[in-house]
Amino acid sequence: MKIKSLLKVACISGVFVLGSCSSDDDSTPPVDNSVVAPATYVFERNGESSISFSGQTTRIAMAEEIISALKTETNTEATLDAMFAHVEGVNDFSDADLNASDKSVRSKTAASRDYFFSNTTDANAIKETFDGWITSQVDDVFPNWGTTATPGVAGVIQEAGGGSDRYVNAKGLELNQAFGKSLIGALMTDQALNNYLGTLILDEGSNVENNNNDVVADGKNYTTMEHKWDEAYGYLYGASADKANPNATIGDDDSFLNKYIGRVEGDTDFAGIAKEIFDAFKLGRAAIVAKNYDVRDEQAAIIREKISQVIAVRAVYYLQQGKTALEAPAATIDYASAFHDLSEGFGFIYSLQFTRKPDSNAPYVTRSEVQGLIDQLMEGTNGLWDVTPATLQSISEAIAAKFSFTVAQAGS
């Protein structure tokens, strides 16, 4: 529920600005609750930062090591499972700080309050899908690391011109790509859009009252509401070189949302989207400081729309890249490049179920619709070996129709 603060607010300068101040006289006109964001994501209380999202930085780092480990054929299923469902104090990672952490990637996969608190059936099924990709990588792909992949046979296939080796399952799918790109939706997008930016989390319990009265969390320098907003921010920018000004290196700081916001920003059809997302995060956080929850929720809606668009644009982009590769003369088709693009597209399609329509509690593409699109992509005995350019175009059009862009815009 959107809550309007009725408390008087003092005129101050710094990280936020209120348009005017009112007196205690109830007969005076309402205050102008406009909020101005700071230049960078810097917020302080008593001269010290009031921002914290270390848990998000940790999970991004864990996820980076997991997707890398999926490409090391000597790893066992037990090793990979332990990395995914890390237990505090176990040496699953190369970083001692990650090993000492009580965080894990699996625990926050498909775990948002808005989508999965009352839907444990889907939450468990999604986690099991990730578990299954690990199992299949170990059981099907690793044993065939030196085998040439052919239709129905897992193994390695090299990109044309002596390019990269791609390790695929019997249906041509790079499971490490499916895992990594699906995690962008199931972890980063779901937690940001459907958990920490949701009012069930932001306004939970006494959060509004405490934020209105600047009551900080026990032993912390932030209110709980401020912290929850920052945690959403952390799933985008937690690995950024400059966390206060992440757009300076957008796309270069991790393999997940940050990377692909940068990729979409680099497309002239969507130039400016990185700034829109960052500006909404800054203004929403400033609105929390200003106790202006209407502005806060307006910014959450913008973030949901734009991040969802990033997921969809990249899904269509990779489908179109794969389509172009498969349209080459049969004798010259670069299957390794095509399957690499289509495996990334697979993961972004899977991530569509975690998108969020602004001011709603629903994704742009439902879980059943996502499964239908994946079934089309992998249809046939040999999956990606059998998919046609016409099918890829049809799936692309179905996705674009849910959003405010065309296949031509996203596919370039």
Side-chain angles (χ1 to χ4, degrees), residues 329-342:
T332 64
I333 293 175
D334 183 350
Y335 283 103
S337 293
F339 292 170
H340 180 64
D341 286 326
L342 294 178

Side-chain angles (χ1 to χ4, degrees), residues 257-280:
L257 264 181
N258 182 291
K259 177 177 180 176
Y260 291 99
I261 293 171
R263 295 295 186 271
V264 175
E265 174 67 25
D267 183 334
T268 55
D269 289 307
F270 303 99
I273 193 169
K275 184 177 186 300
E276 291 179 286
I277 293 167
F278 181 51
D279 285 351

Side-chain angles (χ1 to χ4, degrees), residues 152 170-171 374-387:
K171 291 195 170 187
I374 288 176
D375 287 346
Q376 291 179 56
L377 181 65
M378 304 304 294
E379 188 177 13
T381 302
N382 298 316
L384 296 181
W385 290 97
D386 294 337
V387 74

Side-chain angles (χ1 to χ4, degrees), residues 63-98:
E64 293 282 9
E65 288 211 24
I66 294 168
I67 61 173
S68 178
L70 283 166
K71 295 182 288 185
T72 302
E73 77 276 18
T74 56
N75 280 327
T76 66
E77 182 177 355
T79 295
L80 295 169
D81 285 343
M83 294 177 76
F84 187 39
H86 174 67
V87 174
E88 181 179 3
V90 178
N91 293 328
D92 298 319
F93 301 100
S94 63
D95 187 325
D97 289 338
L98 298 185

